[in-house]
Amino acid sequence: MRFLTAGESHGPQLTAIVEGVPSQLPLTAEDINEHLARRQKGYGRGRRMQIEKDQVQIMSGVRHGKTTGAPITLVIENKDWTHWTKIMGAEPLSEEEAEKVKRKITRPRPGHADLNGAVKYRHRDMRNVLERSSARETTVRVAVGALAQVILRQFGIRLAGHVLEIGDVKAAQLDFSSVEKLKEVTESSEVRCQDEEASEKMKAAIDDAKKNGDSIGGIVEVIAENVPIGLGSHVHYDRKLDGKIARSVLSINAFKGVEIGLGFDAARMKGSEVHDEITYDEETGFGRSSNRLGGFEGGMTNGMPIVVHGAMKPIPTLYKPLQSVDIDTKEPFTASIERSDSCAVPAAAVVCEAAVAWEIADGFLEKFGSDTMEDIHKSYEAYMKEAREF
Ligand code: EPS
């Protein structure tokens, strides 16, 4: 499968075209809206989230509740567009109008794409960069990830994204038993965290950052259960599924780090403390006695849950000004900003879940075929039987 996204933060809509989805998959807008609503929640969001109520429109590739195999177009409108029709419109402006409505941006914000994008694409108005680099785009990535989760659910593969750390507050170690159990707690948490005591401290840390005109980042975890052995491949670098997941997670706005399983900690431990011992059971076949490698060996899934961590830096749009330089006057200035989130880590857990879901679904179809759901089910059942009896 592949997808493209298009759209600006204050433009009319966000769009994704998803190609390669098998036919006969039951799919409704509600399957996607559920995840869009999850992304909009979270303690620490700014005023924009009160304006938007993200809902998907399925514009192609689905008929009477089932996919046809044709490209699927997903559209999510920006409600805020009504305030930006002149500023963000596609029609040319007269010089007089431009003066009035353009709201040219010449002051790059440290930590944003503003300056690099302006130099690269030769824009004197940095709105041409920041409208597209905005994390608003993650809406449509969540929509695409929701579609991926509809495919995965047919095979019992379920995912949960949750928050491990916000600022300097860490949740207690998770005793993972199932995605369902994890979701029971995290879906109702304002910071998407399973540790209630830590959640309160996280909220206080967010309040503190907000009060000081600052922002804070954090670490999210995504767990995927019931993933069959053998997705991805050891034979070539660009077929390693853990590598694809890492790239996808690092491409989420503001993400600066990714780990699978123990991740960086593994580098500080002995081999005997890191590797998961192999077990055998007549009914279920081969397994592992632990899951320190997060479900991956040799770029392939090993049948254990996939465990991915992503580190999000603090949002760089700050009320507390940082030093920068105006690109027109070359004068230094300290920026002050109108509207921002002080923490978007709870939402980022949903985005990260979507990114991981997409890569697993893609690896799944690569292994089991991609034309019709019926063929995929047959191929999956036959392989799982062989794998159990191997
Ligand atoms: C964002 C800035 C804020 C966030 C936005 C991402 O938007 P605005 O500039 O309209 O206040 O609210 O996030 C979303 C709109 C969203 O849907 O997550 C940024 O600069 O990245």
Side-chain angles (χ1 to χ4, degrees):
M1 293 190 294
R2 55 195 169 140
F3 72 93
L4 284 174
T5 77
E8 279 77 37
S9 179
H10 304 100
Q13 65 181 46
L14 296 153
T15 309
I17 298 182
V18 189
E19 205 274 321
V21 179
S23 73
Q24 311 300 346
L25 175 74
L27 181 71
T28 65
E30 201 31 56
D31 293 322
I32 295 171
N33 288 339
E34 178 194 325
H35 291 270
L36 296 181
R38 291 173 68 225
R39 193 200 71 96
Q40 285 206 273
K41 286 199 270 182
Y43 200 79
R45 308 292 318 259
R47 270 180 293 133
R48 175 76 186 272
M49 282 306 94
Q50 289 153 22
I51 299 172
E52 302 299 339
K53 189 173 184 314
D54 295 330
Q55 302 259 298
V56 76
Q57 295 171 62
I58 302 175
M59 305 302 258
S60 73
V62 179
R63 190 158 172 249
H64 305 152
K66 281 199 174 164
T67 56
T68 63
I72 297 175
T73 308
L74 305 175
V75 167
I76 299 151
E77 285 177 4
N78 288 322
K79 295 241 182 302
D80 209 12
W81 157 248
T82 52
H83 309 122
W84 294 78
T85 48
K86 276 278 180 199
I87 303 166
M88 288 303 295
E91 296 303 315
L93 294 175
S94 68
E95 251 175 58
E96 203 180 287
E97 276 180 313
E99 276 300 305
K100 261 194 268 162
V101 302
K102 213 171 161 199
R103 283 185 40 187
K104 189 174 167 190
I105 295 179
T106 60
R107 298 177 150 199
R109 298 159 302 170
H112 271 278
D114 304 352
L115 183 58
N116 309 336
V119 172
K120 179 175 167 67
Y121 291 98
R122 215 169 291 153
H123 288 307
R124 303 306 308 181
D125 179 357
M126 288 184 298
R127 179 163 300 286
N128 291 327
V129 178
L130 64 94
E131 282 289 336
R132 179 62 186 156
S133 70
S134 164
R136 178 75 186 144
E137 194 255 359
T138 62
T139 312
V140 79
R141 286 191 70 181
V142 166
V144 166
L147 198 167
Q149 294 205 47
V150 174
I151 299 173
L152 295 175
R153 223 183 299 142
Q154 293 243 337
F155 304 91
I157 303 172
R158 293 176 68 92
L159 293 95
H162 68 118
V163 170
L164 295 182
E165 295 182 31
I166 288 185
D168 60 2
V169 185
K170 280 187 190 187
Q173 179 83 32
L174 168 71
D175 182 17
F176 178 74
S177 58
S178 72
V179 160
E180 198 184 343
K181 282 250 159 354
L182 177 58
K183 283 189 140 187
E184 269 171 27
V185 198
T186 53
E187 291 301 312
S188 55
S189 159
E190 282 181 283
V191 281
R192 200 164 283 284
C193 175
Q194 45 86 23
D195 176 348
E196 281 176 28
E197 207 179 309
S199 299
E200 289 310 309
K201 290 186 187 152
M202 287 173 182
K203 281 163 63 183
I206 294 167
D207 287 341
D208 220 38
K210 194 172 178 181
K211 201 168 70 209
N212 294 317
D214 224 320
S215 59
I216 44 176
I219 297 180
V220 301
E221 177 174 81
V222 177
I223 304 183
E225 69 184 7
N226 288 330
V227 183
I229 185 169
L231 304 190
S233 174
H234 65 291
V235 303
H236 205 246
Y237 72 89
D238 57 357
R239 294 183 57 192
K240 296 187 184 211
L241 187 57
D242 46 3
K244 290 184 184 179
I245 288 175
R247 185 181 78 155
S248 189
V249 170
L250 265 197
S251 75
I252 301 169
N253 307 52
F255 273 58
K256 299 301 275 184
V258 59
E259 292 182 325
I260 303 218
L262 284 177
F264 275 54
D265 277 347
R268 302 179 195 106
M269 295 162 72
K270 305 248 164 38
S272 56
E273 297 164 341
V274 168
H275 298 288
D276 304 303
E277 290 184 310
I278 296 174
T279 57
Y280 182 75
D281 175 286
E282 267 198 13
E283 235 170 74
T284 53
F286 290 101
R288 300 290 184 284
S289 58
S290 56
N291 188 25
R292 294 183 285 236
L293 293 179
F296 278 101
E297 286 157 307
M300 287 169 286
T301 52
N302 62 10
M304 297 298 284
I306 292 178
V307 182
V308 181
H309 294 170
M312 185 187 197
K313 71 179 178 179
I315 287 170
T317 307
L318 301 176
Y319 290 87
K320 185 180 204 162
L322 287 181
Q323 192 67 51
S324 182
V325 177
D326 190 295
I327 60 166
D328 278 354
T329 65
K330 309 293 187 289
E331 294 290 326
F333 72 96
T334 45
S336 75
I337 292 301
E338 292 162 31
R339 185 172 80 177
S340 173
D341 301 324
S342 24
C343 178
V345 176
V350 179
V351 181
C352 196
E353 176 189 305
V356 175
W358 172 268
E359 295 303 334
I360 297 174
D362 192 44
F364 192 93
L365 297 192
E366 192 181 285
K367 174 94 187 85
F368 297 114
S370 58
D371 287 342
T372 77
M373 288 309 293
E374 197 183 328
D375 292 351
I376 297 167
H377 272 286
K378 277 190 204 151
S379 157
Y380 169 79
E381 296 302 340
Y383 174 79
M384 291 308 278
K385 183 167 181 293
E386 264 181 55
R388 271 194 306 273
E389 293 167 358
F390 187 80

